[in-house]
């Protein structure tokens, strides 16, 4: 594996930002922000979706140890339902940036758009978690954190296979909703079942 790009512009403190859980039916959306040293390189750091669970978990301590700053933040199910998932994703990323112990000079945002009241310049990078190491590192932190969160919730709510699907709309998850109804962790603004209009959910 070849290493991802270390920065967009040299001699600038850049924070990579990414979120996970946007397409889930349940649970918060989670974002992370990471500032890596300009000379840092690790060929294993890549888009979290391309890594195995064990690879991601092995990289967590490495990222936390080697980064200049890192932070993880959430936007709740209630916030998702109130302001919609896109705005909640922006909110979670903003919270992660604000929690960084080092103030970045520029943000590298995964995706094609970004909106916040932060007075920081930014660059949106489509599929940025496969291009820049800091965005990939953020995607790994956010995914491992959220997967563990959903595994914990699965112990309390065992009927939806969250320990396997992390809240995404798998067949087992939808069957659980159909049989047992939605929980407090389900996003009511989402179409939980394909026929939910008929069920009045």
């Amino acid at each position: 594996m070849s290493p991802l790009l270390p920065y967009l512009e040299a001699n600038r403190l850049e924070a990579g930002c990414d979120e996970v859980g946007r397409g889930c039916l349940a649970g918060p959306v989670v974002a992370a922000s990471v500032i890596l040293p300009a000379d840092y390189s690790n060929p294993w750091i890549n888009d979290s979706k391309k890594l195995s669970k064990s690879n991601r978990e092995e990289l967590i301590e490495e990222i936390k140890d080697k980064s200049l700053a890192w932070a993880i933040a959430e936007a709740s199910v209630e916030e998702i339902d109130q302001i919609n998932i896109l705005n909640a994703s922006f909110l979670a990323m903003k919270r992660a940036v604000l929690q960084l112990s080092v103030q970045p000079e520029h943000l590298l945002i995964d995706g094609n758009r970004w909106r916040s009241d932060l007075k920081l310049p930014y660059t949106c990078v489509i599929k940025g978690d496969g291009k820049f190491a800091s965005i990939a590192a953020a995607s790994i932190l956010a995914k491992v954190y959220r997967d563990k969160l959903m595994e914990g919730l699965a112990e309390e709510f065992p009927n939806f296979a969250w320990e396997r699907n992390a809240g995404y709309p798998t067949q087992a998850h939808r069957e659980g909703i159909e049989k047992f109804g939605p929980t407090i962790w389900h996003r009511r603004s989402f179409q939980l079942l394909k026929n939910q209009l008929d069920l009045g959910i």
Side-chain angles (χ1 to χ4, degrees), residues 154-167:
E155 295 178 13
E156 188 178 351
F157 300 92
N159 300 313
F160 307 95
W162 290 342
E163 71 283 0
R164 297 196 306 274
N165 62 44

Side-chain angles (χ1 to χ4, degrees), residues 19 51 62 73 103 126:
E19 52 71 32
L51 299 172
E62 162 86 2
Q103 170 82 14
I126 295 171

